[in-house]
């Protein structure tokens, strides 16, 4: 059977044996994400018709105006996980604190925690630009049978057992990895099924796209400024093309397919960086490394950073290996 006819459900079942723990829990968890993604996709795609766009008047824990659709996506993913009794804890970019999920037998028996950015790029909703969901999964480190604690969420990214993103765009895609490469599934909206459309996705080692918000150029560290100038020089295979959507999942996805580098460095406005280590950088770094790419804060491997708090922000550089290494050289030399 040619790969494009394989559904996500079939793929999950066939690959269950590859997980270190074969209880089927991780498979059920990916299945639950698939289900929630379909529901959210339906809402996102009718967002223009209904009064579901626009800020809700509340500000989330990050101090960002919440879009109504973020809240909807957040609720849907959390509800689905709790209803299906799959995880022992959830933390979301939209929630101040982590959520302890008491499994149906009231015994905290579940083994996985979910970290989620329910609607990344949501400031783009009302102008019809792609938004996405980013997720990250760890095996709990506290004993089964006890409520999860913050420690279960503050694990280094290298301990992720799975991570991925969903892009709700012209075509809706779910891209994920359980540590055995990266695979992309495209939704057939007519029948509501995801099909394997992009098996074994890998970053080209070199790319010709750089993605950064150049409006913040003057606030960037010297190393990043110099690297951007390098990208713009008329020399060898340059100048590179500048492409920036402002929706991490979409920018990452394009660079994964075409080859490129994504940068959200620290700046005078965001001295720690802006992206969240737990909900954005770690899952994308896990995918990047699984897809033969690289992810760094400019100096260190993202997946080695020990998180200190749930909503920690860090500088983020990620994409084609050679490009990231070049940017790191500039950081070392000038910053």
């Amino acid at each position: 059977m040619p790969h494009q006819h394989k559904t996500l459900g079939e793929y999950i079942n066939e690959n269950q044996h590859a997980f270190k723990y074969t209880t089927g829990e991780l498979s059920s968890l990916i299945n639950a994400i698939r289900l929630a993604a379909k529901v959210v996709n339906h809402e996102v795609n009718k967002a223009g018709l209904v009064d579901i766009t626009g800020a809700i008047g509340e500000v989330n824990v990050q101090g960002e105006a919440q879009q109504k659709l973020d809240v909807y996506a957040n609720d849907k993913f959390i509800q689905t996980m709790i209803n299906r009794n799959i995880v022992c804890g959830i933390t979301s970019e939209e929630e101040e604190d982590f959520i302890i999920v008491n499994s149906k037998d009231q015994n905290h028996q579940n083994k996985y925690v979910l970290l989620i950015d329910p609607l990344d790029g949501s400031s783009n909703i009302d102008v019809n630009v792609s938004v996405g969901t980013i997720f990250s999964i760890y095996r709990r480190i506290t004993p089964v049978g006890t409520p999860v604690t913050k420690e279960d969420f503050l694990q280094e990214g290298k301990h992720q057992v799975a991570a991925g993103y969903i892009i709700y765009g012209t075509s809706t895609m779910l891209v994920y990895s359980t540590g055995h490469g990266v695979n992309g599934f495209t939704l057939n909206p007519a029948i509501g099924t995801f099909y394997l459309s992009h098996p074994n996705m890998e970053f080209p080692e070199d790319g010709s796209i750089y993605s950064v918000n150049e409006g913040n150029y003057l606030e960037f560290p010297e190393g990043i400024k110099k690297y951007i100038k390098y990208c713009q020089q008329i020399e060898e295979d340059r100048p590179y093309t500048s492409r920036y959507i402002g929706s991490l999942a979409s920018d990452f996805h394009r660079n994964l397919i075409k080859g490129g580098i994504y940068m959200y460095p620290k700046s005078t406005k965001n001295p720690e960086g802006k992206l969240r280590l737990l909900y954005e950088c770690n899952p994308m770094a896990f995918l990047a490394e699984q897809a033969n790419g690289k992810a760094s804060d400019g100096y260190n491997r993202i997946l080695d950073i020990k998180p200190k708090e749930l909503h920690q922000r860090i500088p983020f550089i990620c994409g084609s290996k050679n490009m990231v290494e070049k940017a790191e050289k500039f950081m070392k030399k000038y910053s």
Side-chain angles (χ1 to χ4, degrees):
M1 189 164 64
H3 67 73
Q4 59 266 37
H5 296 309
K6 188 176 288 180
T7 67
L8 174 55
E10 289 164 349
Y11 180 86
I12 290 170
N13 290 338
E14 280 173 31
N15 289 278
Q16 216 160 278
H17 65 276
F19 305 145
K20 197 157 80 178
Y21 312 97
T22 47
T23 55
E25 253 182 281
L26 187 57
S27 299
S28 306
L29 184 39
I30 304 283
N31 267 317
I33 288 171
R34 170 184 71 166
L35 179 72
K38 284 201 281 200
V39 177
V40 171
N41 178 61
H42 183 70
E43 281 309 306
V44 168
N45 283 323
K46 67 178 198 198
L49 299 171
V50 194
D51 178 30
I52 199 160
T53 55
I56 198 171
E58 288 175 31
V59 168
N60 71 3
V61 290
Q62 311 297 330
E64 294 159 344
Q66 272 180 308
Q67 304 290 126
K68 291 178 188 172
L69 212 46
D70 302 18
V71 180
Y72 178 86
N74 188 48
D75 292 348
K76 271 293 161 262
F77 275 97
I78 289 173
Q79 264 170 26
T80 306
M81 293 303 147
I82 293 175
N83 294 348
R84 293 198 144 201
N85 184 29
I86 294 171
V87 293
C88 51
I90 302 168
T91 179
S92 158
E93 193 191 309
E94 301 292 337
E95 304 280 338
E96 191 138 2
D97 212 345
F98 63 92
I99 298 165
I100 297 172
V101 180
N102 196 351
S103 32
K104 283 204 177 74
D105 48 22
Q106 303 304 306
N107 232 344
H108 303 284
Q109 289 301 313
N110 294 336
K111 298 177 189 69
Y112 294 98
V113 293
L114 175 72
L115 297 79
I116 193 157
D117 180 352
L119 214 56
D120 182 73
S122 52
S123 59
N124 282 324
I125 292 167
D126 48 359
V127 289
N128 234 350
V129 172
S130 293
V131 290
T133 296
I134 303 173
F135 64 90
S136 163
I137 299 166
Y138 294 83
R139 212 171 150 87
R140 64 181 302 174
I141 49 179
T142 51
V144 171
T146 61
V148 287
T149 71
K150 205 185 236 180
E151 297 319 299
D152 291 307
F153 299 100
L154 298 181
Q155 300 188 53
E156 289 111 323
K158 63 186 172 198
H159 298 308
Q160 288 171 101
V161 291
Y165 57 84
I166 299 117
I167 292 181
Y168 311 104
T170 39
S171 63
T172 293
M173 272 193 80
L174 189 154
V175 175
Y176 84 102
S177 173
T178 54
H180 303 276
V182 177
N183 289 283
F185 299 81
T186 301
L187 181 66
N188 175 343
I191 50 176
T193 305
F194 282 100
Y195 287 96
L196 178 60
S197 53
H198 294 62
N200 306 317
M201 300 176 81
E202 286 202 342
F203 275 100
E205 294 225 320
D206 286 293
S208 59
I209 296 171
Y210 70 102
S211 310
V212 62
N213 183 346
E214 293 185 66
N216 295 333
Y217 179 85
L218 293 176
E219 303 190 345
F220 288 155
E222 200 54 35
I224 296 290
K225 286 181 180 168
K226 289 275 202 283
Y227 179 72
I228 291 173
K229 286 299 169 219
Y230 166 84
C231 292
Q232 295 168 343
Q233 280 166 351
I234 304 173
E235 242 173 69
E236 295 159 357
D237 61 336
R238 289 164 288 140
Y240 295 152
T241 303
S242 171
R243 289 278 181 273
Y244 188 69
I245 297 167
S247 182
L248 174 61
S250 304
D251 278 311
F252 179 94
H253 186 72
R254 180 204 51 242
N255 290 352
L256 173 56
I257 291 171
K258 298 194 163 179
I261 184 170
Y262 174 93
M263 297 176 282
Y264 210 120
K266 63 180 188 180
S267 63
T268 41
K269 193 167 62 201
N270 296 301
E272 304 294 314
K274 179 147 187 279
L275 299 183
R276 275 46 128 217
L277 174 57
L278 266 57
Y279 317 105
E280 294 169 314
C281 306
N282 268 337
M284 289 312 196
F286 181 79
L287 290 168
E289 289 195 8
Q290 285 295 321
N292 196 35
K294 194 166 180 176
S296 161
D297 65 358
Y299 306 99
N300 313 295
R301 178 186 182 216
I302 295 290
L303 296 182
D304 286 336
I305 297 171
K306 175 79 179 121
K308 296 191 225 9
E309 50 184 285
L310 291 180
H311 297 294
Q312 184 172 341
R313 300 170 189 261
I314 56 160
F316 189 58
I317 300 173
C318 152
S320 294
K321 207 178 263 174
N322 295 342
M323 297 181 87
V324 173
E325 283 171 2
K326 185 64 126 178
E328 285 181 317
K329 282 199 179 102
F330 277 96
M331 287 298 285
K332 211 178 199 150
K333 188 170 173 187
Y334 296 105
S335 300

